[in-house]
């Protein structure tokens, strides 16, 4: 009995290790390292495994760091230290009711088999001068970001559901004076809140992604990324400087993108995979005030082939937006080419939305004359719209679906089924179709016969 008591006491003493006693390693002030249950001297139980065959949270070494004292108390160095300490099997915990301020750009592309439990708030500073001079730049649509997350087997989550990643976007929206990212004269670059690059097996769950200066998420050269139970919003406190380009989800060169059980309240695309994204699954998504659940845009850059393929979008609610279910491809004299193939929108509710179902192959801001002269070269094939219901805003008269395909590309295998969308402009609602090969499954009219 005495030997068991000694073992228990010894195990307890090893559970929380102070900066002065942990193997003579340097530990920042206010940080701690807690050994994993399986590393203690207690009898071992069979170890659970996560989706990737690695240890679950309670079997991991846990690292904590001090919280920030105020919004200028930068703990970037401590956070980086914690992630390096937790790499290869550990866990970093940011505690509930505490704020952790990041004021330096962080390259986290080295991560491997690490959990990051954000129960508190991870908040970026709004030092515009610093971030515009110190960031990670991506040529695609002149994107910049605060932090690059990368590596393999990375889980970022909130156990308590209280975790926040805050982009502190208000100062950026106040400062950019309406210059959107696609404006060729824009030099006021705004950071993306959450970006992955060269990453495999990334899970993000239970978090509030708040007030991104620009896109909320951007997944680049990433394989198998999952978002679940996420809330995204970008809400200005200044009516004269509304958020712009604050998309919920964007991607580039991604294989395996899943979004489930998520709410998005932003003023741009709710969900918008971009070039070379495949194997997409979306279910139980709610979007308010957005530009829709869009495939694309693709075909932007001259001579470059883009594609989006294998997308399943199910049980989505789109409210008070500009677009609902949308596909978009570039047209003009200096653009690329490619295809969108095998996309299904199923069980979609759309209310008070300008263009509930739309195929836009005259993107971006191309007038009819230029679009006709230089039509899009993006093929659209095997696209299904099934069980789509709700109402338009009436902005486009009685038109509730506009499927105007490019004369410069193939448009085949487009199928609509059980479409029940009304318009306050009157009835019956109208569905426009142009340049589509074959029967689309419902009655449609050419654009020349539609309401203005």
């Amino acid at each position: 009995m005495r030997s068991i008591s000694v073992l228990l006491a010894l195990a307890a003493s090893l559970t929380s290790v102070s900066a002065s006693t942990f193997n003579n390693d340097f530990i920042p002030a206010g940080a701690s390292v807690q050994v994993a249950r399986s590393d203690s001297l207690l009898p071992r139980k069979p170890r659970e495994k996560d989706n990737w065959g690695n240890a679950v949270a309670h079997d991991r070494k846990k690292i904590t760091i001090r919280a920030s004292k105020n919004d200028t108390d930068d703990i970037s160095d401590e956070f980086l230290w914690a992630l390096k300490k937790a790499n290869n099997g550990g866990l970093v915990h940011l505690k509930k009711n505490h704020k952790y301020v990041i004021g330096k750009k962080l390259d986290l592309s080295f991560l491997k088999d690490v959990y990051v439990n954000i129960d508190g708030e991870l908040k970026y500073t709004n030092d515009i001068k610093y971030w515009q001079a110190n960031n990670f730049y991506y040529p695609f649509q002149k994107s910049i970001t605060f932090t690059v997350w990368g590596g393999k087997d990375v889980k970022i989550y909130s156990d308590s559901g209280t975790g926040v990643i805050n982009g502190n976007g208000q100062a950026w929206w106040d400062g950019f004076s309406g210059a959107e990212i696609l404006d060729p004269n824009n030099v006021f670059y705004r950071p993306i809140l959450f970006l992955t690059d060269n990453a495999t097996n990334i899970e993000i769950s239970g978090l509030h992604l708040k007030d991104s200066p620009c896109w909320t998420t951007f997944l680049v050269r990433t394989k198998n990324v999952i978002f679940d139970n996420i809330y995204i919003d970008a809400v200005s406190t200044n009516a004269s400087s509304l958020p712009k380009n604050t998309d919920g989800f964007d991607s580039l060169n991604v294989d395996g993108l899943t979004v489930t059980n998520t709410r998005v309240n932003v003023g741009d695309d709710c969900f918008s995979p971009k070039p070379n994204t495949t194997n997409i699954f979306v279910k139980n998504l709610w979007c308010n005030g957005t530009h829709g659940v869009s495939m694309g845009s693709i075909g932007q850059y001259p001579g470059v082939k883009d594609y989006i393929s294998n997308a399943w979008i199910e049980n989505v609610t789109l409210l008070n937006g500009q677009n609902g279910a949308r596909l978009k491809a570039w047209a003009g004299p200096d653009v690329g080419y490619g295809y969108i193939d095998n996309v299904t929108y199923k069980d979609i509710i759309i209310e008070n939305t300008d263009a509930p179902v739309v195929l836009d192959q005259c993107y971006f801001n191309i007038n009819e004359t230029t679009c006709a002269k230089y039509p899009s070269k993006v093929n659209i094939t095997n696209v299904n719209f099934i069980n789509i219901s709700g109402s338009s805003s009436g902005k486009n008269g009685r038109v509730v679906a506009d499927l105007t395909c490019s004369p410069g590309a193939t448009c085949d295998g487009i199928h609509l089924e059980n479409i029940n969308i009304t318009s306050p402009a009157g009835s019956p609602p109208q569905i426009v179709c142009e340049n589509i090969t074959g029967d689309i499954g419902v009655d449609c009219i050419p654009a020349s016969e539609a309401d203005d």
Side-chain angles (χ1 to χ4, degrees):
M1 287 294 294
R2 186 174 183 277
S3 62
I4 293 176
S5 298
V6 170
L7 282 174
L8 289 171
L10 181 57
S13 71
L14 290 174
T15 299
S16 183
V17 184
S18 69
S20 61
T21 60
F22 186 73
N23 295 332
N24 296 318
D25 286 349
F26 170 76
I27 299 180
S32 69
V33 179
Q34 185 178 19
V35 299
R37 182 187 69 177
S38 57
D39 292 336
S40 73
L41 298 181
L42 294 173
R44 290 191 178 185
K45 296 181 180 180
R47 295 185 65 176
E48 300 174 57
K49 301 291 184 181
D50 65 14
N51 294 338
W52 309 310
N54 302 320
V56 296
H58 60 245
D59 284 329
R60 289 173 174 265
K61 174 176 65 177
K62 184 167 76 173
I63 317 297
T64 63
I65 57 174
R66 72 174 183 89
S68 297
K69 299 171 186 175
N70 52 54
D71 279 358
T72 60
D73 183 16
D74 182 6
I75 55 84
S76 301
D77 292 339
E78 289 97 324
F79 186 52
L80 180 59
W81 168 86
L83 288 165
K84 289 180 177 179
K85 196 76 174 175
N87 215 26
N88 296 300
L91 180 155
V92 175
H93 185 210
L94 304 185
K95 295 179 180 179
K96 184 178 178 179
N97 298 323
H98 290 78
K99 186 181 295 182
Y100 300 83
V101 174
I102 303 297
K104 297 177 183 176
K105 74 173 192 175
L106 292 175
D107 181 355
L108 307 180
S109 59
F110 60 86
L111 299 176
K112 182 178 181 182
D113 183 18
V114 65
Y115 282 23
V116 185
N117 181 6
I118 303 174
D119 285 331
E121 180 180 14
L122 190 68
K123 185 175 185 179
Y124 289 93
T125 63
N126 60 4
D127 185 346
I128 292 175
K129 183 177 180 180
Y130 171 83
W131 290 114
Q132 288 193 328
N134 299 275
N135 57 66
F136 300 94
Y137 176 78
Y138 288 79
F140 184 82
Q141 298 191 3
K142 301 176 182 178
S143 302
I144 66 171
T145 191
F146 304 111
T147 299
V148 173
W149 298 81
K152 185 178 181 183
D153 299 354
V154 181
K155 184 173 180 179
I156 305 163
Y157 66 104
S158 175
D159 251 351
S160 63
T162 59
V164 179
I165 302 179
N166 187 344
N168 214 354
Q170 189 66 54
W172 295 91
W173 308 329
D174 291 343
F176 83 119
S177 301
E180 299 195 32
I181 59 174
L182 292 178
D183 183 339
N185 299 316
N186 176 39
V187 293
F188 190 90
Y189 300 161
R190 290 170 283 138
I192 293 164
L193 179 59
F194 181 86
L195 184 145
T196 64
D197 190 3
N198 283 317
T200 300
N201 298 340
I202 309 293
E203 287 190 9
I204 306 96
S205 63
L207 288 169
H208 177 187
L209 305 182
K210 176 179 172 60
D211 292 345
S212 179
C214 197
W215 295 345
T216 304
T217 69
F218 188 30
L219 302 320
V220 182
R221 290 176 292 208
T222 294
K223 183 177 177 62
N224 188 25
V225 56
I226 296 173
F227 291 86
D228 181 60
N229 189 25
I230 300 296
Y231 176 52
I232 294 174
D233 69 344
V235 179
S236 177
T237 59
N238 182 352
S240 64
S241 56
L242 299 178
K244 287 285 186 73
N245 311 117
T246 49
D247 298 11
F249 297 93
D250 291 281
S251 60
L252 178 69
N253 299 322
V254 170
D255 180 4
L257 169 57
T258 295
V259 175
T260 54
N261 308 311
T262 287
R263 296 174 296 145
V264 178
N265 183 32
V266 299
D268 211 297
D269 288 317
C270 181
F271 179 84
S272 182
K274 289 182 168 58
N276 310 334
T277 302
T278 190
N279 298 320
I280 300 160
F281 180 78
V282 176
K283 189 172 183 178
N284 304 334
L285 175 64
W286 178 93
C287 311
N288 183 58
T290 73
H291 292 182
V293 172
S294 305
M295 296 296 111
S297 63
I298 66 171
Q300 177 179 355
Y301 293 100
V304 176
K305 180 181 179 180
D306 295 338
Y307 64 86
I308 293 174
S309 65
N310 304 334
W312 184 273
I313 316 295
E314 182 179 359
N315 195 23
V316 176
T317 298
L318 296 129
L319 307 175
N320 312 311
Q322 186 182 95
N323 304 284
R326 176 167 67 153
L327 299 92
K328 51 180 178 174
W330 285 67
D334 297 305
V335 296
Y337 65 105
Y339 64 88
I340 297 174
D341 179 60
N342 192 24
V343 175
T344 294
Y345 290 89
K346 183 176 183 289
D347 299 338
I348 312 295
I349 297 172
I350 303 171
E351 298 288 357
N352 189 34
T353 294
D354 297 344
V357 177
V358 60
L359 170 54
D360 181 1
Q361 287 197 278
C362 291
Y363 197 81
F364 165 77
N365 288 347
I366 300 296
N367 62 43
E368 289 185 11
T369 302
T370 304
C371 192
K373 186 176 181 180
Y374 304 102
S376 173
K377 293 176 281 188
V378 172
N379 296 330
I380 310 291
T381 55
N382 304 312
V383 178
N384 300 294
F385 300 92
I386 302 170
N387 302 339
I388 316 293
S389 62
S391 65
S392 75
S393 67
K395 181 177 180 179
N396 297 316
R398 290 186 290 150
V399 175
V400 298
D402 185 351
L403 302 171
T404 302
C405 289
S406 168
T410 299
C411 206
D412 189 18
I414 312 301
H415 176 73
L416 282 71
E417 179 182 332
N418 196 19
I419 309 299
N420 293 297
I421 305 172
T422 62
S423 169
S427 60
Q430 297 175 330
I431 296 175
V432 170
C433 59
E434 296 268 4
N435 304 315
I436 297 177
T437 302
D439 181 20
I440 69 168
V442 298
D443 292 335
C444 65
I445 60 175
S448 61
E449 297 179 14
D451 293 347
D452 292 331

